[in-house]
Amino acid sequence: MTQIPFLDLKAQQARIKDELRRRLDTVLEHCQFVLGPEVAELEAALASYCGAAYCVSVSSGTDALQIAMMAEGIGRGDAVFLPAFTYTATAEVPLVLGATPVFCDVDPLTFQIDPAHLEQRIGAVRAAGKLRPRALIGVDLFGQPANWPALSTLAAREGIFTLDDCAQSFGATLQGRQLGTAADATAVSFFPSKPLGAYGDGGALFTESAERAALYRSLRTHGEGTTRYEVLRTGMNGRLDSIQAAVLLAKLTVFADELAIRERIARIYDSRLGNAVGTPVRVPDSTSAWAIYAILLRDGAARDHVQASLKAAGVPTAIYYPRPLHLQPAYRDSHDGAALPVSEDLATRILALPIHPDLTDEAVAHICDSVLAAVA
Ligand SMILES: *Cc1c(COP(=O)(O)O)cnc(C)c1O
């Protein structure tokens, strides 16, 4: 039985190797390793790709979230609303800044933050009178966009800042527009396994606001002013390096093709598996970047069985996420005890199948056969 890779960065590298080599050689020649010319070129290319006015590249997706929150002055006494069913970084950032994460439940069909529950949670925080509702971090989970039309309307009414955690979903569209302008600021990750991945850590912030973009540039370099040795505010070392920008510029040349291949694979999974297991429900009027293709099994025992059968058949799987954040040791003390039943249920039954642009048709067919055999 041949082993199918969950992700195949070697095969991808073979497809872009000439452009990658040329880009890397250029960096080795000029030796401007941090914020070199590739970084400015990448920022312009990414802003143009998603139609955002400003792009500020940073050192990771987590740092993008943190810089965006720092720029708003978010800290002690502030409530930051976010989904419980997401990666840890979304909740970590408000806590690092002294703010309080307020966990919201997600939609059982699309797995995206539930606007109705968010509204309830904001109301409860206001009624309790202990914390100031300040910000929403909406996550575009698994490659699909969150329900930004509803989230933005609610946030505007409540007067809170919106940050789009688009770490998994750069390349997706909502109502015909690329993600990047759906919220007051958008944070993207270039971790190697994300749809647009570097060869190390990297990230970017997008915004329509010139003031915010200027703050992000200052904050990523220790709060510097117009000269390097003028320090205006407390910042951090959050810059992108030129080698990562060079890799991303090479990968951007094939990104649209890769998204199309991911979509094609998702459709094969949908049609072959849709009657046997729960397959992803599409967010209306959107396209997905398919960072993750997650199926839902009947219960935890069924998931364990399917995962073990697939492993025996050479098919790797992953569980995003085995535990919602409000039940994690690091966060449970900051959780107010609100029930989040959908997040808890998804954590017991969800299973991610391989999806990447170098997955062959034979591999996709084998994965489908193996899932169908396991649930038969
Ligand atoms: C990957 C990820 C992050 C963090 O990105 P890094 O670049 O790894 O710091 C944040 N939020 C979500 C939802 C993610 O999936």
Side-chain angles (χ1 to χ4, degrees), residues 258-347:
E258 293 189 339
L259 289 172
I261 298 170
R262 286 175 188 265
E263 174 64 30
R264 196 173 69 80
I265 295 169
R267 287 187 189 192
I268 298 173
Y269 282 153
D270 288 346
S271 69
R272 287 213 53 207
L273 305 178
N275 290 330
V277 300
T279 50
V281 172
R282 308 297 183 99
V283 169
D285 202 5
S286 77
T287 61
S288 176
W290 293 114
I292 289 164
Y293 187 97
I295 59 171
L296 275 183
L297 287 313
R298 197 173 353 100
D299 53 27
R303 179 179 65 189
D304 291 348
H305 170 72
V306 170
Q307 188 169 37
S309 309
L310 290 177
K311 186 170 183 215
V315 178
T317 56
I319 297 175
Y320 307 111
Y321 296 93
R323 225 198 262 198
L325 294 183
H326 66 291
L327 301 181
Q328 289 286 2
Y331 304 130
R332 77 189 155 209
D333 291 346
S334 26
H335 181 50
D336 59 11
L340 303 165
V342 180
S343 299
E344 291 181 21
D345 174 53
L346 292 177

Side-chain angles (χ1 to χ4, degrees), residues 8-24 196-199 244-258 357-358:
D8 197 344
L9 296 178
K10 272 196 181 157
Q12 185 195 44
Q13 194 177 111
R15 282 189 285 113
I16 56 169
K17 76 172 185 325
D18 293 341
E19 178 64 4
L20 186 63
R21 184 53 61 197
R22 185 182 74 75
R23 287 278 184 187
L24 291 176
L196 181 62
Y199 286 170
Q244 300 312 332
V247 170
L248 290 164
L249 283 164
K251 288 214 191 178
L252 257 186
T253 62
V254 296
F255 188 48
D257 293 342
E258 293 189 339
D358 296 284

Side-chain angles (χ1 to χ4, degrees), residues 59-65 85-93 137-142 165-169 187-194 200-204 291-292 320-321:
S59 41
S60 69
T62 306
D63 290 343
L65 294 171
F85 195 63
T86 178
Y87 183 60
T88 178
T90 319
E92 171 184 38
V93 165
I137 309 181
V139 178
D140 306 312
L141 200 72
F142 295 169
D165 180 346
C166 188
Q168 300 178 1
S169 305
V188 167
S189 165
F190 304 125
F191 185 76
S193 63
K194 310 284 179 174
D201 283 308
I292 289 164
Y320 307 111
Y321 296 93

